[in-house]
Amino acid sequence: MKTIDALLSEGVAGKRVFVRADLNVPLDGTAITDDGRIRAVLPTVKALADAGARVVVASHLGRPKGAPDPAFSLAPAATRLGELLGADVAFATDTVGDSATATVAGLADGQVAVLENLRFNAGETAKDDAERGAFADRLAALADLYVGDGFGAVHRKHASVYDLPARLPHAAGFLIATEVGVLKKLTDDVKRPYVVALGGAKVSDKLAVIDELLGKADRILIGGGMAYTFLKAKGYEIGTSLLQEDQLPAVTEYLERAEKNGVELVLPVDTLVAEGFPDLKTKAPAHPATVAADAIPADRQGLDIGPETRTLYASKLADAATVFWNGPMGVFEHPDYAEGTKAVAQALLDSPGYTVVGGGDSAAAVRILGFDEKAFGHISTGGGASLEYLEGKTLPGLAALED
């Protein structure tokens, strides 16, 4: 895979360089609540601009349905990118139309532009190869070179991720090169003990990675909403807690296989419960109660791991040489249910090993809960991409960047 270093050494001054970034930031109206993904692509954009390239940044945001939707405009991200660069960033109000053409044509050497949301064009996500290819052709007309640096999208077979690199000389940006290097540390010659902490709402989102990790990890810690399907599989009463009943056979099989393979699959021993889901807008006090994991009342819902589980999980992470964490332990957005996620994050910081936070909600939690990002070994920008890499899947966006 050619890297941006090689591209820069060849010279990019005066050339239009299309950078496929991941600017899919969370918004509250037009206010960005977490700019981590914009900051992650900054080194690539800045290096290209400093070398005299005419940089065209493109990304998706949210899931618009193939047509313009003001709620998903990339304008706030373009403004923030300019603030971080300390330079004006032009913004095209479309992706391949008159505004995009004029904006790119107006760039001078060292200047940067951002195109409007790629998913405002149905061709970006089309299943039909010809439709996707036609959109990629129009994007290719805007550039001379391609740099892939949107790691959060490399598991998608989308026009700007998969088809466009085939139409232009291409290279991987700094972010993708870093992400791939980190993931190799989790798959090739892993330092042990190798401990994985998995959380989040749905066990179905993690089944494939658990299946793969049962042959690689030494310990797997389970939290979040997905934990209650595991507890149900052990025959416990889980009240009104989140349950994916159709996943019970797979979860039961994983529990059996973990024991057979000598993998510690660790479940919560206590949990915080309440009558219902908390109000995340007002964050009104929820008054949770702590109960044993095998004694959840029939009319209560589990929403976070309890204090004994926090201590247990911290002890299971204490001697780890390698740690991968993906998914919060509870509803961390509400202060009454944030302690489990805080405890796991702190345990990673206290661990002597190499720690990787696997993107998505875990990365957001680290920032929202006030942890120093630099204290972790690596914080990924792509939760889904990280998981699929660990599952052993071929990621279309990475395959497209191979020489």
Side-chain angles (χ1 to χ4, degrees):
M1 185 183 292
K2 186 176 183 178
T3 68
I4 189 173
D5 286 321
L7 198 67
L8 290 168
S9 69
E10 295 168 0
V12 294
K15 295 183 178 179
R16 301 168 301 163
V17 182
F18 188 105
V19 177
R20 201 330 179 162
D22 180 7
L23 308 181
N24 186 26
V25 292
L27 295 173
D28 183 1
T30 59
I32 296 171
T33 58
D34 180 0
D35 67 355
R37 284 177 169 168
I38 301 175
R39 287 186 284 111
V41 77
L42 198 64
T44 291
V45 174
K46 190 174 188 307
L48 289 167
D50 288 349
R54 303 177 183 192
V55 187
V56 182
V57 181
S59 175
H60 71 287
L61 191 153
R63 295 185 177 182
K65 298 180 180 179
D69 183 339
F72 297 107
S73 175
L74 275 172
T79 299
R80 182 58 180 151
L81 179 60
E83 292 170 352
L84 292 168
L85 285 170
D88 291 336
V89 168
F91 180 65
T93 57
D94 56 27
T95 55
V96 290
D98 292 341
S99 179
T101 301
T103 300
V104 173
L107 289 176
D109 293 0
Q111 291 186 329
V112 179
V114 173
L115 304 181
E116 185 53 286
N117 194 334
L118 289 164
R119 291 186 183 175
F120 285 0
N121 189 304
E124 169 68 0
T125 59
K127 301 292 186 185
D128 180 75
D129 291 348
E131 183 181 356
R132 215 175 48 248
F135 182 52
D137 287 339
R138 297 182 70 186
L139 291 173
L142 298 172
D144 305 303
L145 303 168
Y146 176 94
V147 172
D149 215 29
F151 181 73
V154 293
H155 58 313
R156 305 295 187 192
K157 193 176 181 180
H158 290 170
S160 65
V161 176
Y162 178 75
D163 302 271
L164 184 55
R167 288 158 168 78
L168 294 170
H170 51 265
F174 292 127
L175 175 61
I176 279 187
T178 298
E179 294 273 14
V180 171
V182 167
L183 288 169
K184 285 183 177 178
K185 291 183 180 181
L186 301 179
T187 53
D188 303 334
D189 194 26
V190 181
K191 292 183 179 179
R192 299 185 179 279
Y194 177 21
V195 185
V196 177
L198 296 176
K202 294 182 177 180
V203 68
S204 55
D205 293 340
K206 304 291 196 301
L207 281 181
V209 76
I210 294 172
D211 184 61
E212 187 72 17
L213 289 169
L214 283 173
K216 294 182 177 179
D218 297 298
R219 296 183 201 124
I220 303 174
L221 317 180
I222 303 293
M226 62 183 285
Y228 300 101
T229 299
F230 277 87
L231 294 174
K232 184 70 173 180
K234 289 181 69 70
Y236 296 169
E237 169 61 58
I238 63 167
T240 60
S241 305
L242 185 63
L243 170 65
Q244 287 190 282
E245 197 163 1
D246 61 323
Q247 303 299 332
L248 285 172
V251 167
T252 300
E253 192 269 328
Y254 288 172
L255 288 167
E256 293 170 353
R257 183 143 54 97
E259 185 174 1
K260 181 180 178 181
N261 291 356
V263 176
E264 279 191 82
L265 205 161
V266 189
L267 301 179
V269 295
D270 62 345
T271 185
L272 297 187
V273 298
E275 291 184 2
F277 202 81
D279 190 326
L280 299 183
K281 287 188 176 181
T282 66
K283 293 184 171 54
H287 307 296
T290 301
V291 300
D294 60 355
I296 299 174
D299 62 347
R300 294 291 187 272
Q301 180 178 6
L303 296 163
D304 193 15
I305 58 174
E308 289 187 26
T309 304
R310 294 172 217 153
T311 300
L312 173 65
Y313 284 12
S315 72
K316 296 295 183 180
L317 290 161
D319 66 344
T322 305
V323 181
F324 175 71
W325 169 35
N326 182 284
M329 296 291 107
V331 187
F332 73 92
E333 300 91 340
H334 192 287
D336 288 349
Y337 302 104
E339 294 304 316
T341 302
K342 281 184 184 178
V344 168
Q346 186 61 53
L348 262 69
L349 293 184
D350 296 338
S351 170
Y354 183 66
T355 57
V356 178
V357 180
D361 287 339
S362 306
V366 163
R367 291 187 277 268
I368 290 170
L369 297 176
F371 288 93
D372 180 4
E373 295 177 63
K374 295 178 182 178
F376 297 87
H378 178 70
I379 297 181
S380 179
T381 57
S386 295
L387 289 175
E388 290 198 15
Y389 189 100
L390 294 180
E391 289 166 19
K393 291 183 178 179
T394 297
L395 306 188
L398 296 185
L401 293 175
E402 296 292 345
D403 296 330

